[in-house]
Amino acid sequence: MEGELTGPAILGNTLLGIVAAMGFAFGAICSAISGYISMWVAAQSNIRVASAGRRSYGEALVICFRGGAFSAVLNLTLCIVGVTTLYLIMYMLFCKGENSPTENTWQVLNATEIPMLLVGYGFGASFVALFMQLGGGIYTKAADVGADLVGKVEQSIPEDDPRNPATIADLVGDMVGDCVGSSADVFESVAAEIIGAMILGSTLANESGMDSYHATKFVFFPLVVHAMDIIVSSIGIAFVGRTRDTADSDPMKQLQKGYRIALALSVAGFFLITHQLLGTPDNPSASFQFFLCGVVGMACAYIIVLSTQYQTDYAYGPVQSIAEASTTGHGTNIIVGVSVGMKATLVPTIAVAIAVLTAYHLGASTGIGDGRNAGLFGTAVATMGMLSNAVYILSMNNFGPIADNAGGITEMSMQPESVRDVTDRLDAAGNVTKAVTKGYSIGSASMACFLLFGAFMDEFSEYSGLPFEVVDIAKPEVLVGGLLGSMIIFYFTGLAIAAVGRTAHEVVLEVRRQFKENPDIMTYKAKPDYERCVALVTQAALREMRYPGLVCVVTPITVGVIFRFVGEATDRPLLGAEVLASYLMFGTVTGILMALFLDTAGGAWDNAKKYIELGNFGGKNSEAHKASVTGDTVGDPFKDTAGPSLHVVIKLLSTTILVAGPLFIAKIKPEVGGL
């Protein structure tokens, strides 16, 4: 019937706002808990790894990796439980039963319409993740840069030397920035992508007229995939056992072995899940085509992992070229490092582009519905395939800061050089695994933004009562929206790097002051004031992260509302939605490339320094080493502050627009959509 209330719009804007607020609070709390768990586990693991390093390299590797794996399993379990719990709450509140009345009651929705109410959860997770990544990144990199510039370059003392006043702040920062931030990042990635896939699955089920039994299977498919992820990744983790390799062996060999095992098990598990959940009586072969979509996503993830390892591991040419360039000065180190980061965008971008196109057309060829929504769901399945080893990848990420801090503990406790050699090799591998995680995260973010974009268009169609399938960038307002989306990525990156620079400046001055006023620090007769540096970076991180975070949240809402009123005045009711769609597309594309550049360049600079510290090109305290420290200093805010924060910003744009959807639609029918 014309004007009849349908879908979530029937609840009304006030109730939808309350539901979104509830979901936001729930997602934010779960994301915060996941970050805290990761930091707590890392703090408990650091000393154990340092102790194991005195006995054997193999034991240290196992404890270090399993410490990271434990927090990763808890993280993804919490994410799945959170989404499932919120769905059940919404189901009990709003879903109509077979015999329940549907008048004068909230229970007016079908089970397949519930996922649209979950977007607040993803927004809350993204919002908290942004502040954890940004605040943690400012904290850790300001302390790291300050410690390196004064300690290594000016005083020529080792990294993590107990005489350096910024050492404790640096060690704490590793956990705050890498464990807390990355765990919250992966948590919100998985949450947003599960919810986006559930929305697309429900849209496809409704469009094709599936019965409730098969429709429910499509809706719950992403949750089942991530439950499988926990199982197969845990098996892969178990295979990273005590190695029989020599003391000089590469830890990456063991970690890659476990990843390949988890990946192979994921393929088998994905086949079973798609066979059971994604087949329909009218299209029995659809399950196999969706399985192929998942394989495409897994292949894309593996290519990104290998590409990132090649660009950031000192065993390969790109990092070695930066180390060699360091022999001719600080400037050439920076030039070559920037070039490596820029060239590193090639392979991941092509891999994601091929994966999106292949998955879309595989999905569209299933014959379910009109093809468009099936194609979008195909990309959602590919994203689920890419994330089917998220637990293992997060385990590798958390391995990095644990190894780094174990090295700091061995240095501060003045352990023999052989122990430091063990932790140094683990730390170098940790730099690669952190870079791999960042590449994996941005690859999944790019895939996820495509499916969230589909969910965004479905939501606007639902709320407006008009079809929303085309974004015409030939319209000047729509093009302006795209330019604003690209601009905000550059502006945010500049804000994040500037925040690290200002805070690092304060740390450098404080460390210099302590060395100058208390010369006994250098002779071990007096202890530095560690607490002063910790308090300084804590206050600065809390202060500096507020404005960039507000920019990311407020800007899309402001742009959408302004153009909503422009559209209302010019009789174009979906103009605000179109402008925001352009904003989202341009911002996503720009953010993906920028994040790939920042992540790779920063990781390559870090390992170029470690390659020189192994004795190449003059070794420690050589001119090449000092140049590599400069490169590492420049790369620190790239890879651990701006780059990871952009991963979250890309998805935060999508979830912000999804949650505030009705704000951007001009009034079409008094009872449907709009405000």
Side-chain angles (χ1 to χ4, degrees):
M1 234 175 142
E2 184 69 22
E4 184 180 355
L5 294 170
T6 59
I10 198 172
L11 298 178
N13 289 322
T14 301
L15 188 53
L16 284 173
I18 294 172
V19 168
M22 288 174 53
F24 175 88
F26 195 44
I29 291 170
C30 289
S31 183
I33 292 173
S34 74
Y36 181 83
I37 288 173
S38 295
M39 183 170 62
W40 182 83
V41 172
Q44 302 301 313
S45 303
N46 297 335
I47 187 67
R48 289 173 171 81
V49 175
S51 177
R54 297 187 301 168
R55 296 187 289 275
S56 74
Y57 156 75
E59 184 180 353
L61 171 63
V62 170
I63 293 175
C64 189
F65 184 65
R66 291 187 179 174
F70 181 69
S71 60
V73 171
L74 291 178
N75 184 291
L76 267 293
T77 302
L78 178 62
C79 180
I80 295 168
V81 170
V83 175
T84 305
T85 302
L86 187 61
Y87 180 94
L88 292 175
I89 292 172
M90 297 300 172
Y91 181 87
M92 289 186 289
L93 288 176
F94 301 113
C95 193
K96 56 188 176 184
E98 292 181 3
N99 300 314
S100 64
T102 58
E103 295 181 1
N104 302 320
T105 177
W106 289 348
Q107 295 180 313
V108 291
L109 300 179
N110 296 318
T112 55
E113 294 170 330
I114 297 296
M116 199 77 78
L117 304 179
L118 307 182
V119 292
Y121 183 90
F123 180 50
S126 297
F127 190 77
V128 170
L130 174 62
F131 286 102
M132 285 187 171
Q133 278 284 26
L134 184 58
I138 294 170
Y139 187 113
T140 181
K141 289 304 107 181
D144 195 3
V145 169
D148 281 358
L149 287 179
V150 182
K152 284 186 175 182
V153 177
E154 296 181 9
Q155 300 294 331
S156 296
I157 59 178
E159 185 175 4
D160 301 321
D161 192 292
R163 293 171 291 180
N164 194 323
T167 294
I168 297 298
D170 185 15
L171 296 179
V172 174
D174 287 334
M175 292 189 292
V176 172
D178 291 324
C179 283
V180 176
S182 294
S183 295
D185 182 7
V186 173
F187 180 95
E188 64 91 20
S189 292
V190 173
E193 286 145 21
I194 286 175
I195 293 168
M198 291 176 78
I199 292 173
L200 291 177
S202 64
T203 301
L204 179 61
N206 291 332
E207 178 207 41
S208 58
M210 292 183 194
D211 59 67
S212 60
Y213 174 72
H214 288 94
T216 303
K217 287 184 175 183
F218 272 70
V219 170
F220 281 96
F221 167 75
L223 286 169
V224 177
V225 168
H226 282 292
M228 175 204 72
D229 172 21
I230 295 173
I231 297 171
V232 299
S233 293
S234 297
I235 295 172
I237 290 164
F239 273 88
V240 183
R242 288 180 172 81
T243 177
R244 295 183 179 178
D245 297 339
T246 65
D248 296 325
S249 64
D250 183 2
M252 287 303 300
K253 292 180 180 178
Q254 284 286 311
L255 301 183
Q256 288 281 13
K257 180 183 73 174
Y259 177 61
R260 285 192 289 268
I261 290 169
L263 191 62
L265 292 173
S266 292
V267 174
F270 214 86
F271 177 79
L272 294 176
I273 292 172
T274 52
H275 178 72
Q276 291 296 320
L277 299 184
L278 299 186
T280 64
D282 296 332
N283 303 91
S285 63
S287 61
F288 183 72
Q289 288 161 292
F290 283 128
F291 163 70
L292 294 179
C293 292
V295 172
V296 167
M298 294 178 201
C300 179
Y302 191 55
I303 290 170
I304 290 174
V305 166
L306 292 180
S307 172
T308 307
Q309 182 180 352
Y310 174 75
Q311 298 290 344
T312 57
D313 194 335
Y314 60 54
Y316 302 104
V319 171
Q320 293 177 8
S321 69
I322 299 174
E324 185 177 5
S326 302
T327 60
T328 54
H330 302 251
T332 49
N333 172 284
I334 300 299
I335 291 169
V336 175
V338 169
S339 72
V340 167
M342 288 186 170
K343 290 185 291 186
T345 61
L346 175 68
V347 173
T349 302
I350 292 176
V352 169
I354 293 174
V356 169
L357 287 172
T358 305
Y360 182 87
H361 289 292
L362 278 172
S365 66
T366 57
I368 301 177
D370 63 3
R372 174 187 173 274
N373 285 322
L376 289 174
F377 188 70
T379 63
V381 174
T383 306
M384 293 300 105
M386 177 178 270
L387 289 169
S388 61
N389 296 118
V391 169
Y392 193 92
I393 296 293
L394 183 58
S395 301
M396 290 204 298
N397 176 83
N398 293 349
F399 164 89
I402 292 173
D404 194 355
N405 276 4
I409 291 170
T410 60
E411 182 69 45
M412 295 189 74
S413 59
M414 300 181 183
Q415 295 298 312
E417 191 67 24
S418 59
V419 181
R420 183 70 207 213
D421 287 342
V422 169
T423 56
D424 278 349
R425 279 186 287 115
L426 295 178
D427 186 22
N431 284 331
V432 178
T433 60
K434 287 188 289 185
V436 163
T437 304
K438 292 178 176 70
Y440 176 86
S441 180
I442 197 61
S444 66
S446 58
M447 294 279 284
C449 283
F450 189 74
L451 74 91
L452 287 173
F453 188 74
F456 158 75
M457 298 183 82
D458 286 343
E459 182 193 64
F460 275 53
S461 297
E462 184 75 42
Y463 287 143
S464 68
L466 292 176
F468 181 38
E469 299 178 355
V470 177
V471 179
D472 185 2
I473 62 172
K475 295 178 182 177
E477 297 92 346
V478 177
L479 181 60
V480 166
L483 290 174
L484 292 173
S486 293
M487 174 276 297
I488 207 68
I489 297 298
F490 281 90
Y491 186 58
F492 175 85
T493 302
L495 290 174
I497 294 174
V500 174
R502 284 191 296 270
T503 308
H505 178 75
E506 296 180 31
V507 175
V508 167
L509 294 179
E510 173 60 22
V511 174
R512 285 176 178 170
R513 181 193 67 78
Q514 291 197 34
F515 278 134
K516 182 179 179 180
E517 296 180 2
N518 193 355
D520 288 342
I521 290 175
M522 291 299 293
T523 61
Y524 295 99
K525 293 180 181 178
K527 287 181 64 176
D529 186 358
Y530 300 120
E531 292 182 6
R532 173 61 186 158
C533 286
V534 171
L536 190 155
V537 293
T538 301
Q539 293 167 5
L542 293 172
R543 180 181 68 248
E544 295 284 356
M545 71 182 182
R546 289 178 295 188
Y547 178 62
L550 286 174
V551 165
C552 292
V553 176
V554 173
T555 304
I557 295 176
T558 303
V559 170
V561 169
I562 289 173
F563 283 100
R564 167 250 173 103
F565 287 114
V566 172
E568 195 168 13
T570 57
D571 197 27
R572 291 179 289 175
L574 286 179
L575 182 64
E578 278 195 86
V579 170
L580 276 182
S582 178
Y583 181 100
L584 183 58
M585 286 191 295
F586 280 69
T588 297
V589 170
T590 306
I592 289 167
L593 296 176
M594 178 69 80
L596 284 171
F597 160 68
L598 294 171
D599 292 339
T600 308
W605 268 317
D606 196 344
N607 269 353
K609 178 193 70 175
K610 284 189 166 46
Y611 185 69
I612 292 174
E613 289 175 346
L614 291 175
N616 301 289
F617 301 112
K620 291 183 179 180
N621 299 321
S622 65
E623 291 303 313
H625 183 236
K626 291 180 180 180
S628 71
V629 171
T630 300
D632 182 32
T633 302
V634 173
D636 276 342
F638 280 28
K639 68 182 175 68
D640 288 325
T641 306
S645 297
L646 280 178
H647 306 167
V648 184
V649 168
I650 292 169
K651 292 185 286 290
L652 184 63
L653 295 178
S654 301
T655 53
T656 301
I657 295 169
L658 278 169
V659 169
L663 281 172
F664 313 127
I665 305 169
K667 292 180 180 178
I668 301 163
K669 300 170 185 173
E671 69 277 14
V672 181
L675 289 179

